[in-house]
């Protein structure tokens, strides 16, 4: 695609351009936002201002047109996400959900200026590594309907030390333009990054500082990289010390371009080699991490025998069901999007996307064996964050990454990779896409797809556990898992993949159900859906005149297939369990046996999903529906599928999954 390079002039934005080209994209122009004339340093949460005077030289060295715009806005909206959760269709689509006076809107004006000159522009290059604040704002603006741009963010979530070493190894040279971190001195200003690398390593070991400067420890300007036709020579500069010391920055008074002897701009293939990329394509760089490579090797040697792992119920601090509390679509945490035919997905998804803006719910999408008069069935789980103090870390937060990267598949659509609300975390269904290409392995391989999709889950969890804006610092546990698969012959490998993954990650007692369905998104062979508990206790705000209901009768099931919205509160104990039944009589017996955990737990469940074999007759389904509605106080969704299974049982007639 044709790409615009958002350029601060620092090492990250320039290095990401190298990856854009190595991925086969064409960089056609550069753009930067700068402070007004005479201002060296601007109080901005989004843009680098120190050293931007050299961006003009960088553009000349790259032989690309440069678009500049003066920053006029301020950091008004300081939340990690940007914009409204709802689709405000009445607003000017060019500034959908924009916030007047916010510095983010300066980027909107700049991108529209470039788009007017390059109407076939498709992508935007950005050098974000860890900053959710920066990435979400660029994604929000770029994805507006009047722009329709895809963000390319190949540095996202890369290990910092490894990344800095790769930059230096590729031939990129950068100068420290500002220091503002513990252990960095005024005299470090103006030094090259390569010379500072040993010191940065020591500071990381001593203080836990960020080697790549992601904690604001330092900023850089690139003076040379393989894409430059000339290098930049800083001929006159001074160090400005600001209050409080030792915050200091480099004010460049004069700089020139210097010829590079025997220089040629590397081709895409040469860039791949210099960036140490796999010969089969750039996706090889981070297609599998070490754990996934070990799992893939184990799968290749898999036999038909599997360890005996029981499906156990897990208990934890958590929730009761709340309904009819006047909550909106913005408080939905997770959606299960069930289609009769995956060919209907584009049309159904277009209608679905009209209801969600930024921070949309997580979502799993599969096709199931719906009755002939139904095309779509939706199940939604919501969270009442009005019970919590304002800006509580236990409120609702989403991981919504729309940028193309090497990390995990981008969400080019109205759903988030994960949503955390209170103590519970829901992860979108993950299929085995190769992140930088958003394509499935070719030739198609169940083993590779299973390993990749489990790797995506692991990486999503790692980000959420470490991100302060998402209330990081928790360990938690996996409450339950559903493995959706499309071919009956792949069930043994699905069980083997889960067993190996569970053993490595400590999930051996996690309830898991294996559900065969006709189709998965993009023709994938497997999709994993995880429910996670963070282990945190949620204390809601309860007013003196307010009563918190602990149970509610679900009566919203209808023939259209919508099972109602389940609203969580943050009180009590929770359980997630998977139960298997060979017959409808076994279900009835289990419900009548009051001393059986299944019966008592089901009465307190906020969510019940019943996966049943498509071979059931219409009368049997009717009996099943009435039985579950009569015995459960939560929302009940019936899901007809090809077959059901667990680790230890062949093909039960019915699988009941519930959360309490």
């Amino acid at each position: 695609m044709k790409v615009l390079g958002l350029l601060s002039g620092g090492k990250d934005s320039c290095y990401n351009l190298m990856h854009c080209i190595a991925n086969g994209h064409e960089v056609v122009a550069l753009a930067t936002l700068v402070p007004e004339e005479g201002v060296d340093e601007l109080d901005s949460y989004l843009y680098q201002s120190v050293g931007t005077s050299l961006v003009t030289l960088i553009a000349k060295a790259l032989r690309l047109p440069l678009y500049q715009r003066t920053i006029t806005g301020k950091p008004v909206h300081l939340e990690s996400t940007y914009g409204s959760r709802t689709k405000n269709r009445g607003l000017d689509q060019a500034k959908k959900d924009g916030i007047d006076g916010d510095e983010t809107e300066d980027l909107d004006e700049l991108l529209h200026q470039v788009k007017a000159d390059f109407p076939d522009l498709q992508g935007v290059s950005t050098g974000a590594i860890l900053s959710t604040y920066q990435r979400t704002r660029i994604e929000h603006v770029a994805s507006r309907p009047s722009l329709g741009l895809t963000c390319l963010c190949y540095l996202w979530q890369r290990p910092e030390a490894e990344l800095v070493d790769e930059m230096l190894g590729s031939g990129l040279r950068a100068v420290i333009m500002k220091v503002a971190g513990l252990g960095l001195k005024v005299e470090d200003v103006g030094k090259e990054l390569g010379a500072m690398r040993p010191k940065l390593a020591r500071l990381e070991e001593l203080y836990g500082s960020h080697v790549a400067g992601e904690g604001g420890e330092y900023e850089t300007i690139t003076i040379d990289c393989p894409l430059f036709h000339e290098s930049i020579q800083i001929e006159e500069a001074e160090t400005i010390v600001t209050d409080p010391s030792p915050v200091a920055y480099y004010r460049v008074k004069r700089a020139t371009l210097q010829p590079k002897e025997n220089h040629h701009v590397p081709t895409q293939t040469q860039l791949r080699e210099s960036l140490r990329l796999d010969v089969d394509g750039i996706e090889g760089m981070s297609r599998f991490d070490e754990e996934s490579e070990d799992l893939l090797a184990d799968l290749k040697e898999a036999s038909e025998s599997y360890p005996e792992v029981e499906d156990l119920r897990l208990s934890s601090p958590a929730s009761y069901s709340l309904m009819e509390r006047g909550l909106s679509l913005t408080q939905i945490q997770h959606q299960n999007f069930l289609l009769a035919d995956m060919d209907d997905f584009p049309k159904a998804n277009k209608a679905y996307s009209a209801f969600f803006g930024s921070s949309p719910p997580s979502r799993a999408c599969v096709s199931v064996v719906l009755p002939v008069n139904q095309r779509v069935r939706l199940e939604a789980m919501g969270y009442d964050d009005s019970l919590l103090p304002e800006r509580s870390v236990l409120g609702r937060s989403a991981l919504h990454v729309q940028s193309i990267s090497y990390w995990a598949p981008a969400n080019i659509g109205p759903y988030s990779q994960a949503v955390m609300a209170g103590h519970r975390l829901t992860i979108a269904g993950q299929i085995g896409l190769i992140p930088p290409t958003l394509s499935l392995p070719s030739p198609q391989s169940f083993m590779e797809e299973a390993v990749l999709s489990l790797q995506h889950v692991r990486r999503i969890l790692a980000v959420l556990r470490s991100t302060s804006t998402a209330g990081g610092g928790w360990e938690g546990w996996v409450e339950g898992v559903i493995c959706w698969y499309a071919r009956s012959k792949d069930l043994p490998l699905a069980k083997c993949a889960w067993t190996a993954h569970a053993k490595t990650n400590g999930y051996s007692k996690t309830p898991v159900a294996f559900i065969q369905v006709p189709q998965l998104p993009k023709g994938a062979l497997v999709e994993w859906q995880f429910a996670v508990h963070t282990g945190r206790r949620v204390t809601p705000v309860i007013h003196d005149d307010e009563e918190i209901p602990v149970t509610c009768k679900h009566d919203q099931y209808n023939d259209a297939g919508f099972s109602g919205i389940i609203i969580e509160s943050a009180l009590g104990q929770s359980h997630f369990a998977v139960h298997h039944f060979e017959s409808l009589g076994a279900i009835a017996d289990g419900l009548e046996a009051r001393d059986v955990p299944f019966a008592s737990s089901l009465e307190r469940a906020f969510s019940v999903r019943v996966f049943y074999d498509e071979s059931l007759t219409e009368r049997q389904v009717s009996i099943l529906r009435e039985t579950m509605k009569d015995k459960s106080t939560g929302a009940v969704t019936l899901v007809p599928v090809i077959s059901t299974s667990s680790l230890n049982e062949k093909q039960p007639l019915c699988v009941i999954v519930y959360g309490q």
Side-chain angles (χ1 to χ4, degrees):
M1 66 177 70
K2 292 188 176 182
V3 173
L4 169 70
L6 287 182
L7 196 67
S8 67
K11 63 184 187 341
D12 305 333
S13 58
C14 288
Y15 191 59
N16 199 70
L17 288 179
M18 294 174 64
H19 279 273
C20 288
I21 294 172
N23 271 282
H25 303 299
E26 179 187 0
V27 181
V28 297
L30 305 170
T32 188
L33 285 139
V34 298
E36 62 184 20
E37 190 174 353
V39 176
D40 292 327
E41 190 173 18
L42 191 67
D43 183 20
S44 171
Y45 284 64
L46 185 58
Y47 309 116
Q48 176 177 325
S49 54
V50 174
T52 52
S53 60
L54 295 181
V55 171
T56 302
L57 288 180
I58 292 176
K60 290 180 179 179
L62 288 168
R63 302 287 199 271
L64 289 170
L66 174 66
Y67 292 77
Q68 295 189 82
R69 186 175 181 85
T70 301
I71 302 167
T72 59
K74 304 293 181 183
V76 176
H77 184 76
L78 301 182
E79 302 296 326
S80 59
T81 57
Y82 187 78
S84 171
R85 292 185 200 168
T86 59
K87 268 285 180 68
N88 294 319
R89 290 183 288 272
L91 294 178
D92 178 356
Q93 288 298 297
K95 288 193 173 184
K96 176 181 63 67
D97 297 337
I99 297 172
D100 289 341
D102 192 277
E103 60 184 350
T104 305
E105 298 309 314
D106 291 320
L107 177 62
D108 181 275
E109 300 291 342
L110 179 61
L111 293 186
H112 276 92
Q113 181 184 351
V114 179
K115 184 78 171 178
D117 290 346
F118 293 89
D120 55 351
L121 192 70
Q122 297 169 283
V124 173
S125 169
T126 175
I129 301 174
L130 296 178
S131 174
T132 298
Y133 185 95
Q134 179 190 62
R135 176 187 53 76
T136 55
R137 279 156 174 75
I138 296 173
E139 289 176 346
H140 188 278
V141 173
S143 63
R144 290 174 176 174
S146 56
L147 290 168
L149 302 174
T150 299
C151 288
L152 305 175
C153 193
Y154 294 110
L155 312 189
W156 177 248
Q157 291 298 317
R158 292 290 311 282
E160 289 186 66
E162 174 186 305
L163 184 59
V164 170
D165 289 339
E166 283 182 11
M167 290 179 184
L168 296 173
S170 73
L172 184 144
R173 294 170 56 207
V175 168
I176 304 293
M177 296 298 289
K178 179 182 177 180
V179 295
L182 187 63
L184 292 173
K185 307 295 183 182
V186 172
E187 54 266 28
D188 293 327
V189 173
K191 291 182 179 179
E192 285 204 27
L193 180 62
M196 287 290 295
R197 180 64 180 90
K199 182 172 184 176
L200 294 173
R202 290 196 303 272
L203 295 179
E204 179 189 32
E205 184 177 348
L206 289 171
Y207 308 118
S209 60
H210 294 260
V211 176
E214 285 299 286
E217 292 89 345
Y218 68 91
E219 294 178 4
T220 63
I221 197 74
T222 305
I223 59 173
D224 197 10
C225 89
L227 301 181
F228 287 12
H229 291 261
E230 297 90 14
S231 61
I232 296 174
Q233 178 70 39
I234 297 176
E235 297 182 344
E236 184 180 357
E238 62 178 332
T239 300
I240 307 297
V241 180
T242 61
D243 188 35
S245 181
V247 177
Y249 67 90
Y250 213 35
R251 176 187 289 165
V252 177
K253 295 183 176 181
R254 188 172 69 254
T256 59
L257 292 177
Q258 299 294 322
K260 297 166 67 172
E261 293 184 6
N262 303 319
H263 174 68
H264 67 280
V265 176
T267 63
Q268 178 186 350
T269 301
Q270 290 168 333
L271 269 179
R272 287 183 174 184
E273 293 173 353
S274 69
L275 298 175
R276 292 183 287 183
L277 300 175
D278 190 276
V279 294
D280 293 329
I282 196 159
E283 67 271 13
M285 181 175 185
S286 59
R287 183 162 171 174
F288 295 113
D289 58 26
E290 185 175 343
E291 180 179 328
S292 294
E293 288 174 351
D294 291 341
L295 177 55
L296 189 58
D298 290 342
L299 279 173
K300 290 179 179 178
E301 299 176 1
S303 66
E304 291 299 316
S305 61
Y306 305 100
E308 291 296 320
V309 182
E310 296 181 1
D311 291 331
L312 301 178
R313 185 179 68 176
L314 299 178
S315 62
S316 58
S319 65
Y320 283 92
S321 299
L322 294 179
M323 296 186 68
E324 298 178 353
R325 294 185 58 81
L327 301 181
S328 69
L329 291 175
T330 64
Q331 289 163 305
I332 292 177
Q333 177 178 353
H334 180 82
Q335 290 260 26
N336 291 311
F337 201 29
L338 309 175
L339 301 175
D341 190 332
M342 199 56 72
D343 288 343
D344 290 336
F345 178 76
K347 183 185 296 185
N349 196 51
K350 182 178 180 181
Y352 174 93
S353 65
F355 295 96
F356 300 101
S358 62
S359 186
S362 55
R363 188 179 75 181
C365 180
V366 300
S367 76
V368 295
V369 191
L370 292 176
V372 293
N373 63 334
Q374 291 184 25
R375 305 300 294 171
V376 180
R377 183 173 291 182
L378 291 175
E379 180 186 29
M381 184 176 75
Y383 179 74
D384 186 0
D385 49 8
S386 66
L387 299 176
L388 296 170
E390 186 178 359
R391 294 188 179 181
S392 169
V393 295
L394 298 177
R396 185 187 187 281
S397 61
L399 178 66
H400 185 216
V401 181
Q402 301 174 76
S403 297
I404 304 294
S405 69
Y406 301 121
W407 167 69
N411 285 341
I412 310 298
Y415 64 97
S416 295
Q417 273 97 348
V419 175
M420 185 185 299
H423 62 278
R424 181 163 278 117
L425 172 67
T426 54
I427 298 178
Q430 296 296 311
I431 61 176
L433 295 175
I434 300 167
T437 61
L438 297 183
S439 62
L440 294 166
S442 182
Q444 197 163 28
S445 163
F446 181 89
M447 292 189 297
E448 290 196 27
E449 288 187 33
V451 172
L452 271 169
S453 49
L454 286 169
Q455 176 176 282
H456 301 334
V457 172
R458 193 170 63 251
R459 289 181 174 179
I460 289 168
L461 281 172
V463 169
L464 290 166
R465 283 173 172 149
S466 63
T467 304
S468 59
T469 54
W474 52 271
E475 288 298 326
W477 56 88
V478 176
E479 288 191 302
V481 173
I482 296 175
C483 174
W484 308 91
Y485 66 100
R487 302 186 309 196
S488 57
K489 69 177 183 178
D490 292 328
L491 179 58
L493 276 178
K495 292 183 177 182
C496 185
W498 171 252
T499 301
H501 179 79
K503 181 179 180 181
T504 301
N505 293 277
Y507 303 154
S508 60
K509 294 185 178 182
T510 298
V512 57
F514 297 88
I515 309 295
Q516 185 183 0
V517 293
Q519 296 171 297
L520 295 172
K522 292 183 175 288
L525 299 177
V526 62
E527 177 176 342
W528 298 93
Q529 185 176 351
F530 277 54
V532 179
H533 196 296
T534 64
R536 304 179 304 183
R537 179 72 181 182
V538 182
T539 304
V541 175
I542 303 176
H543 303 291
D544 293 338
D545 59 348
E546 182 178 15
E547 293 184 3
I548 303 298
V550 295
T551 61
C552 59
K553 185 67 177 177
H554 170 69
D555 57 4
Q556 294 189 24
Y557 190 92
N558 56 53
D559 291 336
F562 182 67
S563 66
I565 295 178
I566 309 107
I567 304 299
E568 290 187 51
S569 75
L571 302 173
Q573 297 291 314
S574 77
H575 307 277
F576 187 101
V578 177
H579 289 276
H580 304 81
F581 298 91
E582 299 297 333
S583 67
L584 295 183
I587 297 176
D589 291 343
L591 290 172
E592 291 302 322
R594 307 302 299 171
D595 57 338
V596 176
F598 167 65
S600 58
S601 296
L602 197 63
E603 290 181 351
R604 298 190 299 272
F606 65 78
S607 171
V608 180
R609 274 195 285 173
V610 183
F611 300 100
Y612 65 90
D613 193 294
E614 63 177 332
S615 63
L616 263 64
T617 66
E618 194 172 314
R619 174 171 171 74
Q620 288 175 316
V621 174
S622 178
I623 293 172
L624 179 61
R625 177 186 297 122
E626 293 306 315
T627 300
M628 299 308 299
K629 286 176 61 178
D630 182 57
K631 296 298 183 180
S632 173
T633 58
V636 178
T637 304
L638 270 64
V639 185
V641 296
I642 294 176
S643 66
T644 64
S645 184
S646 71
L647 282 173
N648 304 317
E649 301 187 48
K650 296 297 183 181
Q651 286 192 333
L653 181 72
C654 179
V655 170
I656 298 178
V657 178
Y658 64 88
Q660 175 193 327

